[in-house]
Amino acid sequence: MEAPVAAQHKRTFLIVLATAIMSVATYYLLPDEVNELARRTAAIFVVAAIFWATEVIPLFATSLLIVAFEIFFLAHRGGLADVLPPHSAFPVGPDGTPIQLRFSIFLEPFASDIIILFLGGFLISAAMVRTELDRAIASKFLRPVSTRPALLVFAILAVTGFFSMWMSNTAAAAMMMAIIAPIYRELPPGHRYTPAPLLAVAFGANIGGLGTPIGTPPNAIALDVLRRAGYQIDFAHWMLMAVPLMLLMLAITGVLLLIIFPPGRDLTLRQISSVERLTRDGRITLTVLLIAIVLWVSESVHGINAAVVALAAATALTTVGILGRRDINTIDWDVLVLMWGGLSLGQALKASGLIDHVASLPLNEFSGVALVAIVLVVTATIGTFMSNTAAANLLVPMAMSIPGAVSDQLQLAVLVALACSFGMAMPVSTPPNAIVFASGRIPVRSMIVAGTTTMIIGIVMLILGYQFILPWVVQSVISQ
């Protein structure tokens, strides 16, 4: 027991030491024209990238650390920015006065509408679990096809994808694993079909999150970056853009899984048990969910912000007593803190002027489809080896800073967010992958082959969307 602990401490020490060296080197080796706040932000960015990639400390702990670093090193008011000796000049505004950041700009993202939107979504998800509404819906749609292997794969993808649009993909995957447990546990050991329904859970949860702004944190991060740049994509526009992609990818993934893991003709499956009728609380939760969905997709008509709708739905569920203190404590607060760290880092990149320096890099050699392809491959690859949320935190602001027309920048930001969800080739890539892999029924090689193939197809679909679908959405946003 002591040897693994010692090895873990040694790994932690080496990563922290290497991070410190690279962060300090970044601070001092940047060109002379980079201002002091941008230098410090670049050093903080290095810490965030390495810590999020290696998970040397929990992801949410890195977010808290990043916010603390930003306040101490970048804020003149409430921080220590002017106490520490500078290596270069502090930035100045257009009128020649020094730019002095307040500590509050790094705290404000935690109360942003994106965080509130996700908080409301998490609470709705908790109510669905609490009232077993999720299990009732899932069993209703899976039970009729549960004895037919091929149709079962498509049904699992569809149902998991639907739930991931409205609730945490981690919760959706855990729920679906519990529902299909009687099936996969009775499959013959080593049967070639066994990975198919399990990977359908993982990939359905990953892909389903594409469909709505609350489906997965990378979507929300992209919307927040765009909003801060003065552009607003509402719930309906996002769904018009992303749901067709989601449905197409779910269908393609189903075909792919059945090709790689064919069931054969001799396989028989057990029927999934039915769930009893919904309780009163379940019917109330379903009503609140349906009203929230209608208000979300009609935001352009009534003008009520999606975050306000989510907050109102959560308020209704807590007021009538469906959600109690224990339910509130079970939601993914660590994900909200992780998003806060990323949004705060985006604030620092912009406020310090570091984004402007990135925008001045000679990236004009690439444009159009070539640039999009490069960005998407890099994003999906990074998303494979680190948290998708962390990857979006780092890459979406960078995508917005790449030189080019406004429409190109908006499209890149959206594409990066979507590409993060396709990084799912490894067990560590996403929580649904980890949950499914923990069943012990999927060889790593099977997940890598299926996940990598799905990722490549997803990138191709995004490139096609960049050419034929995204321009319409972006033009409607710019014209608002």
Side-chain angles (χ1 to χ4, degrees):
M1 181 65 68
E2 293 182 0
V5 173
Q8 180 63 33
H9 288 168
K10 181 179 179 181
R11 174 182 178 272
T12 301
F13 172 77
L14 291 176
I15 292 175
V16 171
L17 178 62
T19 302
I21 293 173
M22 294 179 65
S23 179
V24 172
T26 299
Y27 174 82
Y28 283 105
L29 295 179
L30 285 173
D32 294 338
E33 61 269 19
V34 178
N35 70 68
E36 181 65 20
L37 292 184
R39 286 178 181 277
R40 297 180 182 183
T41 301
I44 294 173
F45 184 90
V46 169
V47 174
I50 296 177
F51 277 23
W52 273 332
T54 61
E55 295 190 51
V56 65
I57 59 176
L59 297 177
F60 69 89
T62 297
S63 286
L64 293 174
L65 180 66
I66 295 310
V67 173
F69 278 174
E70 289 168 346
I71 293 174
F72 288 142
F73 297 129
L74 303 181
H76 285 78
R77 301 175 184 179
L80 303 174
D82 52 352
V83 175
L84 301 172
H87 179 73
S88 55
F90 283 101
V92 295
D95 57 355
T97 58
I99 295 177
Q100 295 188 339
L101 303 181
R102 293 183 58 87
F103 76 96
S104 57
I105 71 167
F106 305 116
L107 302 180
E108 289 168 358
F110 195 64
S112 68
D113 58 344
I114 297 300
I115 296 288
I116 300 302
L117 176 61
F118 252 78
L119 174 61
F122 283 159
L123 291 172
I124 294 173
S125 170
M128 293 173 67
V129 174
R130 174 82 165 76
T131 61
E132 294 193 337
L133 172 62
D134 53 353
R135 296 179 62 86
I137 295 175
S139 65
K140 183 175 181 61
F141 286 95
L142 290 181
R143 181 177 167 81
V145 299
S146 58
T147 59
R148 305 173 67 179
L151 290 179
L152 178 63
V153 168
F154 286 101
I156 291 174
L157 283 165
V159 174
T160 311
F162 171 78
F163 279 115
S164 292
M165 294 171 65
W166 313 106
M167 64 191 294
S168 159
N169 58 10
T170 305
M175 173 198 71
M176 293 299 292
M177 287 295 288
I179 291 173
I180 69 169
I183 292 179
Y184 76 76
R185 286 174 183 165
E186 293 187 1
L187 286 171
H191 194 284
R192 59 185 179 179
Y193 173 77
T194 300
L198 296 173
L199 289 176
V201 171
F203 294 173
N206 295 330
I207 295 171
L210 298 171
T212 62
I214 65 171
T216 184
N219 297 357
I221 290 168
L223 291 178
D224 186 79
V225 171
L226 293 175
R227 180 180 60 79
R228 293 180 186 279
Y231 304 101
Q232 186 82 28
I233 298 180
D234 61 26
F235 219 95
H237 275 93
W238 183 277
M239 291 188 68
L240 287 172
M241 169 191 67
V243 168
L245 170 66
M246 180 197 76
L247 295 176
L248 180 60
M249 283 304 303
L250 289 175
I252 292 174
T253 302
V255 174
L256 177 66
L257 290 177
L258 291 174
I259 291 175
I260 300 177
F261 312 108
R265 297 182 178 180
D266 58 342
L267 182 64
T268 57
L269 299 178
R270 176 181 176 182
Q271 190 171 44
I272 293 175
S273 60
S274 62
V275 174
E276 297 180 0
R277 296 178 60 185
L278 284 177
T279 63
R280 169 185 169 275
D281 287 350
R283 292 192 294 271
I284 293 175
T285 301
L286 178 60
T287 301
V288 171
L289 172 62
L290 292 176
I291 293 174
I293 292 174
V294 170
L295 292 176
W296 276 331
V297 299
S298 59
E299 180 180 344
S300 60
V301 177
H302 53 69
I304 303 175
N305 186 275
V308 177
V309 174
L311 185 61
T315 301
L317 293 170
T318 54
T319 301
V320 299
I322 292 177
L323 290 178
R325 184 178 64 180
R326 290 185 178 180
D327 301 304
I328 302 298
N329 291 338
T330 61
I331 70 173
D332 298 323
W333 290 102
D334 59 323
V335 174
L336 298 180
V337 173
L338 174 58
M339 292 175 62
W340 173 27
L343 298 177
S344 182
L345 183 59
Q347 285 277 73
L349 292 171
K350 182 177 180 180
S352 68
L354 183 58
I355 283 291
D356 298 329
H357 291 288
V358 174
S360 66
L361 295 176
L363 298 176
N364 295 325
E365 302 175 15
F366 303 99
S367 61
V369 175
L371 176 61
V372 169
I374 292 172
V375 170
L376 293 181
V377 170
V378 170
T379 300
T381 302
I382 292 176
T384 297
F385 296 99
M386 66 187 295
S387 158
N388 292 346
T389 306
N393 282 336
L394 296 172
L395 298 176
V396 171
M398 292 299 178
M400 279 291 290
S401 71
I402 293 177
V406 170
S407 60
D408 294 334
Q409 293 176 333
L410 299 185
Q411 291 183 70
L412 277 178
V414 172
L415 288 171
V416 165
L418 297 175
C420 285
S421 294
F422 287 121
M424 52 183 172
M426 302 288 291
V428 299
S429 298
T430 68
N433 280 24
I435 290 172
V436 169
F437 185 75
S439 69
R441 300 298 185 96
I442 302 179
V444 174
R445 181 179 179 278
S446 297
M447 181 174 284
I448 292 175
V449 170
T452 301
T453 307
T454 304
M455 180 183 76
I456 293 171
I457 295 174
I459 290 174
V460 173
M461 292 298 104
L462 289 177
I463 292 174
L464 293 176
Y466 160 75
Q467 293 181 292
F468 301 111
I469 299 177
L470 261 182
W472 168 76
V473 176
V474 169
Q475 287 304 319
S476 65
V477 171
I478 293 177
S479 61
Q480 289 179 359

